[in-house]
Amino acid sequence: MNRTVLVLRRVAAVLALATGPALVAQTQTGTLIISVKNQAGAPMAGVRVTIKSDKLQGQRAGVTDSQGFFRAPLLPPGAYSGTIVMDGFRTASMT
Protein backbone atom coordinates (compact mmCIF):
# COMPACT_ATOMS: atom_id res chain seq x y z
CA MET A 1 0.00 0.00 0.00
CA ASN A 2 1.18 3.48 -0.75
CA ARG A 3 2.69 5.15 2.35
CA THR A 4 0.74 8.41 1.76
CA VAL A 5 -2.59 6.57 1.72
CA LEU A 6 -1.69 4.71 4.92
CA VAL A 7 -0.77 7.98 6.71
CA LEU A 8 -4.00 9.64 5.54
CA ARG A 9 -6.06 6.73 6.84
CA ARG A 10 -4.39 6.98 10.24
CA VAL A 11 -5.00 10.74 10.35
CA ALA A 12 -8.64 10.22 9.42
CA ALA A 13 -9.03 7.55 12.13
CA VAL A 14 -7.48 9.83 14.76
CA LEU A 15 -9.76 12.73 13.74
CA ALA A 16 -12.82 10.49 13.89
CA LEU A 17 -11.92 9.33 17.39
CA ALA A 18 -11.11 12.85 18.58
CA THR A 19 -14.29 14.49 17.28
CA GLY A 20 -16.75 11.62 17.75
CA PRO A 21 -17.64 12.26 21.42
CA ALA A 22 -17.92 16.01 20.82
CA LEU A 23 -20.42 15.48 18.03
CA VAL A 24 -22.54 13.13 20.11
CA ALA A 25 -22.55 15.53 23.09
CA GLN A 26 -23.95 18.48 21.13
CA THR A 27 -27.42 19.63 22.09
CA GLN A 28 -29.84 22.01 20.45
CA THR A 29 -30.51 25.28 22.21
CA GLY A 30 -31.86 28.65 21.21
CA THR A 31 -31.98 32.23 22.37
CA LEU A 32 -35.20 33.99 23.28
CA ILE A 33 -35.10 37.74 22.62
CA ILE A 34 -37.89 39.92 23.99
CA SER A 35 -38.29 43.56 22.96
CA VAL A 36 -40.23 45.81 25.34
CA LYS A 37 -41.56 49.16 24.08
CA ASN A 38 -44.01 51.72 25.42
CA GLN A 39 -47.16 52.83 23.58
CA ALA A 40 -45.17 55.41 21.61
CA GLY A 41 -42.78 52.70 20.42
CA ALA A 42 -39.81 53.81 22.50
CA PRO A 43 -37.68 51.05 24.10
CA MET A 44 -38.11 50.53 27.83
CA ALA A 45 -34.98 49.85 29.89
CA GLY A 46 -35.03 48.21 33.32
CA VAL A 47 -38.21 46.19 32.82
CA ARG A 48 -38.22 42.94 34.84
CA VAL A 49 -38.76 39.87 32.64
CA THR A 50 -39.32 36.33 33.90
CA ILE A 51 -39.71 33.28 31.64
CA LYS A 52 -40.80 29.76 32.58
CA SER A 53 -41.01 26.39 30.83
CA ASP A 54 -41.41 22.72 31.65
CA LYS A 55 -38.01 22.34 29.96
CA LEU A 56 -36.26 24.61 32.48
CA GLN A 57 -35.34 23.79 36.03
CA GLY A 58 -36.91 26.81 37.65
CA GLN A 59 -37.11 30.04 35.68
CA ARG A 60 -34.94 32.66 34.00
CA ALA A 61 -35.21 36.29 35.01
CA GLY A 62 -33.51 39.56 34.23
CA VAL A 63 -34.08 43.13 33.11
CA THR A 64 -34.21 44.76 29.70
CA ASP A 65 -31.12 46.62 28.52
CA SER A 66 -30.92 50.27 27.43
CA GLN A 67 -32.48 49.34 24.07
CA GLY A 68 -35.41 47.48 25.66
CA PHE A 69 -34.12 43.96 24.93
CA PHE A 70 -34.06 40.94 27.25
CA ARG A 71 -32.02 37.97 26.04
CA ALA A 72 -32.20 34.43 27.42
CA PRO A 73 -29.52 32.28 25.72
CA LEU A 74 -29.02 28.50 25.75
CA LEU A 75 -32.67 27.59 26.15
CA PRO A 76 -33.83 24.06 25.33
CA PRO A 77 -36.56 23.75 22.68
CA GLY A 78 -40.07 24.03 24.08
CA ALA A 79 -42.96 26.31 24.92
CA TYR A 80 -42.30 29.30 27.18
CA SER A 81 -44.46 31.68 29.16
CA GLY A 82 -43.48 34.76 31.05
CA THR A 83 -44.28 38.04 32.70
CA ILE A 84 -43.09 41.59 32.13
CA VAL A 85 -43.21 43.92 35.13
CA MET A 86 -42.34 47.58 35.66
CA ASP A 87 -43.43 49.90 38.43
CA GLY A 88 -46.21 52.22 37.31
CA PHE A 89 -47.30 49.90 34.47
CA ARG A 90 -49.73 47.01 34.24
CA THR A 91 -48.07 43.57 34.39
CA ALA A 92 -48.08 41.82 31.01
CA SER A 93 -48.15 38.06 30.48
CA MET A 94 -46.99 36.17 27.40
CA THR A 95 -47.09 32.63 26.11
Side-chain angles (χ1 to χ4, degrees):
M1 182 178 291
N2 185 336
R3 181 171 166 78
T4 304
V5 172
L6 183 59
V7 170
L8 288 176
R9 283 187 181 170
R10 286 185 182 162
V11 170
V14 169
L15 287 175
L17 291 173
T19 60
L23 293 176
V24 173
Q26 291 180 352
T27 59
Q28 292 183 355
T29 60
T31 299
L32 178 64
I33 300 173
I34 298 170
S35 174
V36 181
K37 297 179 180 181
N38 64 18
Q39 289 180 337
M44 295 180 66
V47 178
R48 293 184 306 275
V49 178
T50 304
I51 59 170
K52 300 175 186 178
S53 173
D54 293 342
K55 303 292 182 180
L56 291 176
Q57 294 179 353
Q59 60 189 19
R60 298 263 184 106
V63 296
T64 56
D65 62 18
S66 62
Q67 296 178 344
F69 289 106
F70 169 79
R71 291 171 182 80
L74 302 172
L75 295 173
Y80 289 83
S81 64
T83 56
I84 300 171
V85 178
M86 185 163 192
D87 293 339
F89 290 86
R90 183 172 36 114
T91 298
S93 297
M94 58 190 164
T95 54

